[in-house]
Amino acid sequence: MDHARANEAGVLVDHFFRHEYGRLTASLALRFGLANLELIEDAVQSALAQALATWSRRGLPQNPAAWLTRVAYNAVIDQLRHRSVADRLAPNVDVPPPMEASPAPAQTEVADDELRMLFVCCHDALSSQTQLVLALKLLCGFSTREIAARLFLTDANVQKLLSRGRKRLAEQCGDPYTSEWADPDAERMTARLDAVQRVIYLLFNEGYSSQRVDEVIRHDLCDEALRLCVLLVSHPRGNQPSSWALLALLHLHRARLDARLDADGGLLMLEQQDRTRWDRAHIYEGMMCLHHSGQGDIFTRYHAEAAILAEHCIAPSFAATRWDRIVELYEALERLHPSPIYTLNRAIALAEWKGPQAGLDLLEALTPPAWLVRYYLWDATLGELHRRVGNTARAIRDLQRALERAPTHAERKVLQDRLQRCGARNPNPRRP
Amino acid sequence: MTKYMFLFWTPQHQDAPQPSPEEMQAMFAQWEAWKTKFKDQVIDMGDGLQPRGQILKEGAVIDGPHPETKEIVGGYSIVQTETPQQALAIARECPMAYVPGAAIEIREMMGY
């Protein structure tokens, strides 16, 4: 987004205030150091509040982003000056003079600042959840309350995670990221890429999760993940095949986001989805990114997952899907990251390709870990395959067990439908 | 045609949650919509007021308004309408009317 031209015709683009929060926090943290993060966040918040009060009376300035830069910067140095006056131990701290006017921020500079902030948030000493919360607050500009609502946490939880995170970031004495950032061989930066990709994927999944009913929030979170991933691939630090594969994956999932729910908010299975509602633009972008990610021999889990999604997106119908290719891709994925979940998905694809018995044979050869057996999808899959093969009694038993554990209304409905197709007379979970 | 001043009373408690950036953008859009809809009646968008100042009374000066008072006047606007009912109708649609704990005091101006 070109910041200078983003607000033509006196109208603010969607999420302008929120994205400006991210931009300003990133650039001021770079300028004044991570130890001043809370002070910086307050200054940015107050600059936005001032913008609201001023602009609603006087109209938008010529360059809203430049206006905010100046006001936020001055708010920071104002706070620093007060603090240096109050702090008798360090009365001679050098506080710079106020900014008179600020130039429009260059787009490449903005991207660099924001990506650097994202890398900083993905500190190894912090849990993925803390990294995610920091990114949502500092980069995406969500408030504590909004983060709590999106992650199904309490406000107090989020406050605690943020304060722990800020403390850890403040401990970066001497700001190593300034020098390491500029050095393309810096090992720590390269190791961080993994964590950054994981946080982006985590963010996307929060929006994509089937528990999420609010469409606005779903779009918010998925689009933020996409925005950060685009930032990642556009920068030398993040321009790797794995990042492009991740971006492909996000676009291809995003393409189907709205088609997954029916009119009542119920979850539709892949075979039930109206493929005309899949977003063509996102499919196109996803395929382009997938193509771009195919550089040399590099093949990561993101490559495999994106390629599987691509098979679904290009198939004209559920029946016409290249299930053999999908089975192959799951095999590759399992070689990279052995996981019974992938085996489960492979069994489903195998059943579509070679018939339900083939799927059953694969699952019965597997010794599932305890956690997988407790996962509703295990019984649901076994039940459905037994149903297709004709083992009705076994199917009913498995589907009933799955129904008891199904986490959402939408998934329970799917299982109840399948039980009814077995001719089960009472497709309701046994409750005490 | 009569002028009415809208005095915006805002709550002062410290722990009032601040609006998030996203909420601020929504509020900005609401102000724009209100301004546009009543552009012929809202003759002065007015200004905000700093919460702290001074009170000079009978020669004595104290700091005021007191930080403990529940609400203070945070700003004002001026509208011009034929009837007081029309002024009220405009106030009802003002974004300030939706802020929890806030109030819009509508006072007819004398026209001295």
Side-chain angles (χ1 to χ4, degrees):
Chain A
M1 181 181 83
D2 182 342
H3 283 265
R5 290 182 51 246
N7 303 297
E8 286 176 5
V11 176
L12 294 177
V13 297
D14 281 349
H15 314 303
F16 177 77
F17 272 65
R18 190 158 64 66
H19 289 160
E20 280 297 283
Y21 185 101
R23 177 184 74 82
L24 292 163
T25 304
S27 86
L28 290 168
L30 193 60
R31 173 71 181 75
F32 293 103
L34 293 166
N36 287 314
L37 202 46
E38 246 182 306
L39 185 158
I40 288 167
E41 291 175 73
D42 286 343
V44 172
Q45 175 80 9
S46 92
L48 290 172
Q50 219 176 306
L52 172 59
T54 314
W55 299 353
S56 59
R57 290 186 169 84
R58 302 217 218 118
L60 289 178
Q62 175 78 325
N63 190 322
W67 191 100
L68 283 170
T69 303
R70 181 178 51 85
V71 172
Y73 179 93
N74 290 340
V76 173
I77 62 179
D78 205 47
Q79 281 299 303
L80 289 175
R81 188 171 300 116
H82 280 146
R83 210 171 59 181
S84 93
V85 164
D87 184 359
R88 287 162 224 276
L89 292 173
N92 300 314
V93 166
D94 238 341
V95 179
M99 190 189 278
E100 293 293 320
S102 105
Q107 183 48 30
T108 47
E109 205 180 283
V110 173
D112 191 271
D113 289 355
E114 289 189 10
L115 196 64
R116 196 190 307 218
M117 178 57 98
L118 181 57
F119 269 71
V120 161
C121 287
C122 294
H123 191 296
D124 335 316
L126 298 169
S127 69
S128 301
Q129 188 183 51
T130 309
Q131 294 173 359
L132 177 59
V133 166
L134 280 173
L136 284 169
K137 179 71 168 57
L138 302 175
L139 270 174
C140 305
F142 287 111
S143 69
T144 306
R145 216 174 346 131
E146 287 166 344
I147 295 171
R150 279 150 181 75
L151 301 185
F152 300 108
L153 296 170
T154 63
D155 278 21
N157 279 163
V158 176
Q159 297 274 23
K160 212 158 116 193
L161 291 170
L162 281 174
S163 103
R164 199 177 299 155
R166 284 193 198 100
K167 191 152 165 273
R168 188 63 67 164
L169 296 187
E171 288 162 5
Q172 308 304 312
C173 336
D175 218 353
Y177 294 102
T178 315
S179 50
E180 285 187 353
W181 187 255
D183 175 5
D185 294 323
E187 247 186 70
R188 193 164 13 176
M189 287 291 107
T190 313
R192 281 291 166 94
L193 181 59
D194 226 48
V196 169
Q197 289 168 348
R198 250 180 288 126
V199 164
I200 291 174
Y201 198 8
L202 203 56
L203 174 56
F204 188 89
N205 272 317
E206 287 298 332
Y208 197 75
S209 137
S210 60
Q211 297 185 59
R212 178 73 63 195
V213 180
D214 186 329
E215 181 179 312
V216 172
I217 293 184
R218 283 206 307 273
H219 281 216
D220 257 357
L221 294 173
C222 290
D223 289 343
E224 281 304 303
L226 272 165
R227 180 176 78 96
L228 294 177
C229 204
V230 168
L231 204 62
L232 186 64
V233 299
S234 318
H235 191 282
R237 277 264 162 243
N239 187 2
Q240 299 292 333
S242 54
S243 304
W244 283 101
L246 175 61
L247 186 54
L249 180 56
L250 298 187
H251 272 299
L252 294 172
H253 268 309
R254 179 69 180 82
R256 304 183 309 165
L257 183 63
D258 294 330
R260 292 168 79 232
L261 298 183
D262 65 19
D264 304 315
L267 190 68
L268 291 170
M269 299 273 76
L270 190 56
E271 58 219 277
Q272 300 164 301
Q273 289 175 25
D274 176 1
R275 292 179 182 226
T276 64
R277 294 190 61 209
W278 291 0
D279 187 311
R280 300 268 125 223
H282 278 293
I283 292 178
Y284 176 80
E285 282 298 329
M287 301 304 283
M288 287 292 109
C289 291
L290 186 55
H291 177 79
H292 199 90
S293 74
Q295 294 169 31
D297 287 329
I298 298 173
F299 188 81
T300 66
R301 66 172 270 220
Y302 299 130
H303 284 87
E305 291 189 36
I308 290 166
L309 272 184
E311 286 300 325
H312 287 302
C313 286
I314 62 175
S317 69
F318 187 81
T321 308
R322 296 195 295 196
W323 296 107
D324 55 332
R325 293 289 298 268
I326 292 181
V327 169
E328 232 173 68
L329 286 163
Y330 272 116
E331 283 169 354
L333 191 48
E334 281 171 71
R335 279 194 293 274
L336 278 170
H337 284 268
S339 164
I341 290 281
Y342 293 144
T343 312
L344 186 59
N345 283 317
R346 176 159 61 101
I348 296 170
L350 193 56
E352 293 303 327
W353 178 24
K354 291 195 168 153
Q357 192 58 50
L360 273 174
D361 290 342
L362 174 61
L363 290 179
E364 271 154 12
L366 184 71
T367 315
W371 63 265
L372 182 63
V373 175
R374 282 196 298 272
Y375 182 40
Y376 88 96
L377 207 50
W378 173 258
D379 284 317
T381 308
L382 277 174
E384 176 59 9
L385 293 176
H386 279 295
R387 185 189 71 79
R388 288 192 218 171
V389 160
N391 305 336
T392 313
R394 174 71 204 264
I396 292 176
R397 201 190 81 194
D398 288 340
L399 290 169
Q400 286 278 17
R401 247 206 317 258
L403 188 55
E404 284 166 29
R405 296 197 203 109
T408 69
H409 171 77
E411 279 142 340
R412 276 195 290 277
K413 202 155 162 294
V414 169
L415 290 166
Q416 280 160 353
D417 282 345
R418 288 191 171 155
L419 274 165
Q420 269 168 353
R421 279 193 267 166
C422 289
R425 266 167 301 152
N426 181 25
N428 285 311
R430 291 192 293 277
R431 293 264 185 251
Chain B
M1 291 290 256
T2 319
K3 288 192 190 160
Y4 298 86
M5 182 173 280
F6 286 179
L7 296 160
F8 300 123
W9 286 89
T10 43
Q12 274 213 114
H13 42 99
Q14 291 292 72
D15 47 356
Q18 294 189 337
S20 71
E22 199 78 334
E23 286 162 352
M24 286 193 234
Q25 181 140 2
M27 285 159 70
F28 178 75
Q30 287 160 14
W31 280 106
E32 290 298 292
W34 186 72
K35 250 186 355 191
T36 307
K37 182 167 183 183
F38 298 111
K39 66 183 191 313
D40 295 328
Q41 292 89 342
V42 179
I43 58 172
D44 185 356
M45 274 299 282
D47 206 345
L49 299 172
Q50 283 278 11
R52 301 282 159 264
Q54 295 177 308
I55 300 175
L56 166 65
K57 186 175 180 186
E58 293 168 340
V61 177
I62 56 165
D63 288 338
H66 196 280
E68 295 302 303
T69 51
K70 273 179 62 199
E71 291 128 5
I72 58 166
V73 176
Y76 72 94
S77 293
I78 299 177
V79 306
Q80 185 172 274
T81 61
E82 295 281 3
T83 69
Q85 290 80 10
Q86 285 167 348
L88 178 58
I90 295 173
R92 279 196 196 282
E93 293 197 46
C94 177
M96 224 26 199
Y98 300 112
V99 173
I104 303 178
E105 185 176 340
I106 305 162
R107 301 282 293 272
E108 185 179 326
M109 292 171 76
M110 295 295 206
Y112 289 147

